[in-house]
Amino acid sequence: MKSTNSTIGYHLVAFLVVAIWGSTFVFTKMLLLAGLSPAQIFTLRFIIAYILFLGFESALQFLYSFTFHFFSKSWRDELLMFLLGLTGGSLYFLTENAAMLYTTATNTSLIVCSSPLFAMLLIALFYRQSEPLSRRKVTGSLVACAGMAVVVLNGHFVLHLSPIGDLLAFGACMCWAVYSLLMKAVTGRYNTLFITRKVFFYGLVTIIPYYMIVPSDGWIFTSSVFQFFNLSILLNLLFLGVVASMLCFLLWNWTISKLGAVVATNWVYFNPITTIIFAWWLLNEQITPWFLLGTLLILVGMYLCDKR
């Protein structure tokens, strides 16, 4: 019973993280309307998260003799941390935001939120002994993916194909799938604090070439950026940096270490559900029968994936 209660707690944490991530579109949209670019928003939120994380680890080191390590145990592991920062940080956010410029929000959400299916396939490919594909897992993941599609499409089964936008969205989907695969490789050897800090660090490092390639986006520390900073924008950035980045990435990586990459990543299917609930709560958008049907399918699919 104790083990069952612990597992339920891990699932609740995963749901909370996805719920917060599902609400961030409102805050990001407000920052975009204020004149900040997607790259600048990502950089600022990761800078806030990284600085706070350093302060948090310093406090742990002072109060509880917490051992601070800047580098990994080997160069191979350091390369894995670099790839985690790239796939879960800069490249993921850039491809997802860029996809919105070329294709619809429906297409982007549908493609990006199918990442658990590809994560399951990648993990089964690289970990055939410990994470083999079973008929139950495949069925559960397909049912959950179908439920997510029903929620996103909301009864309007029409997709507007846009090769560039859809490819960018698929790139974001694969970034998160690879991030889940890499997390499985490092969670057994490093604690969650160390991994999360490295994700923020290398996420910031790997965004630098983007500013060189796209100079029109402007460097983050140009004087023009600071003219946008008022109380509303600062509060939005603090929410994205402190809650949606620092806290949520820490909890998400911890959840992966407890539930496993496949089970934890399946919670991404809930992202559009929390977004719609958030819109219903704040924007008075209606809940449709399609939403309820899709939610039921996702719950059934996740139950099948996690059933022992």
Side-chain angles (χ1 to χ4, degrees):
M1 180 65 68
K2 184 177 180 181
S3 176
T4 302
N5 291 336
S6 298
T7 303
I8 293 174
Y10 301 146
H11 282 288
L12 288 175
V13 172
F15 171 76
L16 175 64
V17 171
V18 172
I20 293 173
W21 280 342
S23 69
T24 55
F25 78 98
V26 174
F27 304 97
T28 302
K29 185 68 174 179
M30 292 177 66
L31 294 175
L32 290 171
L33 292 175
L36 293 174
S37 71
Q40 289 171 333
I41 295 171
F42 162 77
T43 308
L44 285 169
R45 66 184 283 184
F46 263 49
I47 286 176
I48 293 171
Y50 185 66
I51 291 175
L52 289 177
F53 221 92
L54 289 177
F56 178 63
E57 284 194 315
S58 298
L60 289 178
Q61 186 178 14
F62 176 75
L63 294 174
Y64 302 104
S65 300
F66 177 79
T67 304
F68 182 93
H69 297 286
F70 189 80
F71 292 107
S72 305
K73 299 175 183 177
S74 67
W75 286 108
R76 177 185 175 276
D77 289 349
E78 194 68 21
L79 176 60
L80 289 176
M81 300 298 174
F82 174 86
L83 294 175
L84 281 170
L86 178 67
T87 56
S90 58
L91 192 58
Y92 170 79
F93 282 98
L94 286 176
T95 50
E96 183 184 49
N97 291 333
M100 297 289 289
L101 300 176
Y102 297 98
T103 189
T104 63
T106 298
N107 283 31
T108 303
S109 180
L110 186 61
I111 296 172
V112 172
C113 289
S114 63
S115 61
L117 182 60
F118 293 96
M120 181 187 68
L121 295 174
L122 282 177
I123 291 172
L125 178 64
F126 285 90
Y127 294 91
R128 296 179 183 178
Q129 300 297 325
S130 59
E131 294 279 357
L133 277 180
S134 65
R135 183 178 301 177
R136 174 181 51 79
K137 276 188 178 181
V138 173
T139 302
S141 190
L142 289 176
V143 169
C145 190
M148 180 272 300
V150 170
V151 171
V152 172
L153 295 174
N154 196 28
H156 304 287
F157 299 101
V158 179
L159 291 176
H160 302 281
L161 298 180
S162 172
I164 296 178
D166 294 342
L167 282 174
L168 286 169
F170 183 71
C173 167
M174 292 306 299
C175 279
W176 200 253
V178 173
Y179 178 82
S180 302
L181 173 68
L182 296 174
M183 279 297 300
K184 182 173 177 61
V186 300
T187 48
R189 299 198 300 273
Y190 297 93
N191 63 62
T192 306
L193 288 173
F194 178 82
I195 295 170
T196 307
R197 171 165 49 82
K198 299 298 281 188
V199 169
F200 292 144
F201 175 76
Y202 282 119
L204 291 171
V205 169
T206 53
I207 196 67
I208 295 175
Y210 172 82
Y211 287 111
M212 296 178 176
I213 297 171
V214 189
S216 59
D217 220 359
W219 283 88
I220 193 63
F221 291 114
T222 57
S223 58
S224 60
V225 171
F226 295 96
Q227 67 179 324
F228 301 115
F229 284 0
N230 56 42
L231 181 59
S232 175
I233 291 177
L234 285 174
L235 289 176
N236 286 343
L237 283 172
L238 284 174
F239 175 81
L240 291 175
V242 179
V243 180
S245 293
M246 176 186 166
L247 182 61
C248 283
F249 267 87
L250 178 62
L251 291 176
W252 183 255
N253 293 341
W254 174 75
T255 304
I256 287 179
S257 69
K258 297 298 182 181
L259 292 177
V262 174
V263 175
T265 306
N266 277 334
W267 278 99
V268 173
Y269 289 133
F270 261 86
N271 202 307
I273 292 177
T274 56
T275 300
I276 291 174
I277 292 176
F278 196 80
W280 167 76
W281 178 36
L282 292 181
L283 306 177
N284 295 320
E285 295 187 5
Q286 294 194 355
I287 300 295
T288 67
W290 293 105
F291 171 83
L292 299 176
L293 174 61
T295 302
L296 178 62
L297 288 173
I298 291 174
L299 289 172
V300 170
M302 292 186 63
Y303 170 76
L304 291 174
C305 283
D306 196 33
K307 186 175 183 295
R308 297 291 185 265

